[in-house]
Amino acid sequence: MEKPLLPRESGQFIAEQSRDVFVEDEGVQKVAEMLYGLQHSDELTASGWKKANPLAPAPTSDQALNWVFVVDTMNFSFWPEEETQQCEVTYKGTTYTGYMTLCAAITRAMEEGVPITDPKYFSQMNVEELGRVLRSDNETPMPMLQERHQVLTEGGRVLLEHGGSFRSFISQAGNDAQKMVELIVQKIPSYRDEATYEGKRISFYKRAQILVADYWGLMAARGQGDIINMDWLTMFADYRVPQALVYLGALRYSDTLMQALKNGELLSSGDQREVEIRGCSIWCVELIKDRLHKLVQERAGQPCSVNSVIIDFYLWPYAKQHHKEMAHIPIHHTRCIYY
């Protein structure tokens, strides 16, 4: 079978062919200007990682690396069937929804003495045990428990075959971000986030790239973030960042797509429109990054170190913070293990 295009090339290919999603040049410029104004703030650095992940264990321990693996392996599909019926997890007095319910549940389990970050345990835990770990405060459970169990136990078995920890597994790729993504995708089936578009195999590798980015963020917090090729990574094609890009005018949906989303139509994984939303988001952020680098070069006469990961680390919380203002822009809904 032909090898799929890599995420950046996939994004460009999709954006050039897309029928329902369009990258808007004026909006790209606007977002680049917005980021230019933030370039000296903490919001545009890898150290913003800990702020975005307040529930992660202290970065000094290898347990924190396993925590990141457990969370990123199950990091998909948190949107509720009904907005009023959200899975919620309360930890230390704060109630979390969405992705943060997973982080809170894993950290809560650690405090309860469940060895949830030990691959020996999570490679063979049963569905009921995982259900207890991920239990919700209310009647609405976290979606896709069976799938989360399947991918977590599979991931644990792979770690056991490669030294028994995420650190020993990922060290096989040296300190090269591209090699890390390739290793994860090659060894762990649930990370193979691929599709076919206009007759071509394409890839997004959202969770594999997040896993590498989180590893980088953790190592940077330890003062060991000298990972090369971070520029190879793209944004993480999910359902939250595209909404922010549409809100900021950098992406535009066709009227028919916008109407389908407003009607609550569920898009299947690999659907032409779903692929276009994800691919055009990747290419849009690449263009924003290039434009930002150009602005910094022209105005400050110096190179810019902001990469697509850092832009994503900024846009995702931005979308969460401004969710009320962008409520009129629907997120697309796809139930799958990739995002």
Side-chain angles (χ1 to χ4, degrees):
M1 202 166 179
E2 63 166 329
K3 279 184 86 161
L5 292 176
L6 295 168
R8 176 181 284 109
E9 289 70 32
S10 296
Q12 182 173 10
F13 175 72
I14 293 162
E16 285 165 358
Q17 317 276 329
S18 182
R19 303 193 290 278
D20 282 296
V21 185
F22 311 96
V23 178
E24 298 285 88
D25 200 58
E26 264 180 56
V28 166
Q29 181 69 27
K30 180 182 138 189
V31 179
E33 292 279 2
M34 181 175 96
L35 296 175
Y36 180 82
L38 291 166
Q39 61 174 322
H40 299 301
S41 77
D42 254 6
E43 291 180 273
L44 284 189
T45 62
S47 63
W49 183 86
K50 183 61 185 157
K51 212 166 67 179
N53 291 269
L55 296 168
T60 46
S61 67
D62 274 0
Q63 189 181 41
L65 294 174
N66 282 352
W67 182 94
V68 156
F69 179 80
V70 167
V71 165
D72 285 344
T73 298
M74 294 190 286
N75 179 1
F76 52 82
S77 208
F78 297 103
W79 52 270
E81 296 290 340
E82 302 285 336
E83 278 304 320
T84 52
Q85 295 177 327
Q86 289 247 31
C87 168
E88 293 178 347
V89 172
T90 302
Y91 175 72
K92 292 201 167 165
T94 304
T95 299
Y96 298 95
T97 59
Y99 160 72
M100 296 304 283
T101 56
L102 176 63
C103 302
I106 299 303
T107 301
R108 175 181 67 186
M110 288 167 68
E111 286 208 353
E112 291 169 353
V114 180
I116 189 63
T117 57
D118 181 351
K120 284 197 206 61
Y121 174 75
F122 68 74
S123 63
Q124 51 184 4
M125 70 191 303
N126 62 38
V127 154
E128 289 72 27
E129 287 169 317
L130 184 61
R132 270 199 301 282
V133 166
L134 301 180
R135 70 188 181 276
S136 172
D137 294 352
N138 56 32
E139 297 300 302
T140 307
M142 197 177 292
M144 301 182 81
L145 177 63
Q146 296 287 345
E147 291 85 350
R148 290 183 207 280
H149 175 259
Q150 191 182 338
V151 301
L152 184 62
T153 51
E154 168 197 272
R157 288 193 295 272
V158 173
L159 295 193
L160 291 179
E161 288 161 14
H162 297 272
S165 72
F166 179 57
R167 181 95 193 244
S168 60
F169 169 73
I170 205 69
S171 63
Q172 297 170 91
N175 67 337
D176 184 323
Q178 178 178 351
K179 290 198 168 92
M180 288 178 193
V181 171
E182 288 168 350
L183 175 73
I184 294 162
V185 169
Q186 182 198 347
K187 299 287 185 193
I188 312 176
S190 78
Y191 280 88
R192 287 177 206 149
D193 180 6
E194 299 167 0
T196 301
Y197 179 76
E198 297 294 333
K200 250 198 186 343
R201 291 294 294 158
I202 50 107
S203 69
F204 300 114
Y205 299 148
K206 182 253 184 179
R207 287 195 295 111
Q209 295 199 80
I210 282 194
L211 183 50
V212 171
D214 281 349
Y215 177 69
W216 175 58
L218 258 181
M219 298 311 273
R222 294 180 177 195
Q224 301 171 340
D226 55 345
I227 291 168
I228 61 166
N229 253 341
M230 283 301 294
D231 273 353
W232 183 84
L233 301 185
T234 66
M235 64 75 78
F236 317 127
D238 68 350
Y239 45 87
R240 188 63 70 192
V241 174
Q243 182 194 31
L245 293 171
V246 172
Y247 174 73
L248 292 165
L251 269 192
R252 178 172 60 81
Y253 293 165
S254 71
D255 293 344
T256 50
L257 173 58
M258 190 62 104
Q259 200 49 58
L261 298 182
K262 283 184 172 168
N263 293 344
E265 188 180 331
L266 203 61
L267 304 185
S268 59
S269 182
D271 178 282
Q272 166 243 324
R273 297 160 299 173
E274 185 252 3
V275 168
E276 288 181 1
I277 291 170
R278 299 183 77 200
C280 291
S281 296
I282 285 178
W283 190 238
C284 184
V285 170
E286 289 305 302
L287 295 177
I288 289 166
K289 177 187 73 177
D290 292 347
R291 196 72 52 90
L292 174 63
H293 284 210
K294 215 166 148 195
L295 287 177
V296 174
Q297 193 63 53
E298 283 167 3
R299 295 175 188 176
Q302 61 191 55
C304 172
S305 62
V306 172
N307 56 34
S308 300
V309 170
I310 289 174
I311 296 174
D312 189 288
F313 277 173
Y314 173 76
L315 287 174
W316 194 84
Y318 178 93
K320 291 284 268 188
Q321 285 152 14
H322 295 82
H323 70 98
K324 285 197 171 79
E325 298 98 298
M326 50 177 91
H328 62 289
I329 299 158
I331 64 170
H332 72 282
H333 287 129
T334 301
R335 274 278 179 242
C336 68
I337 64 167
Y338 301 118
Y339 64 102

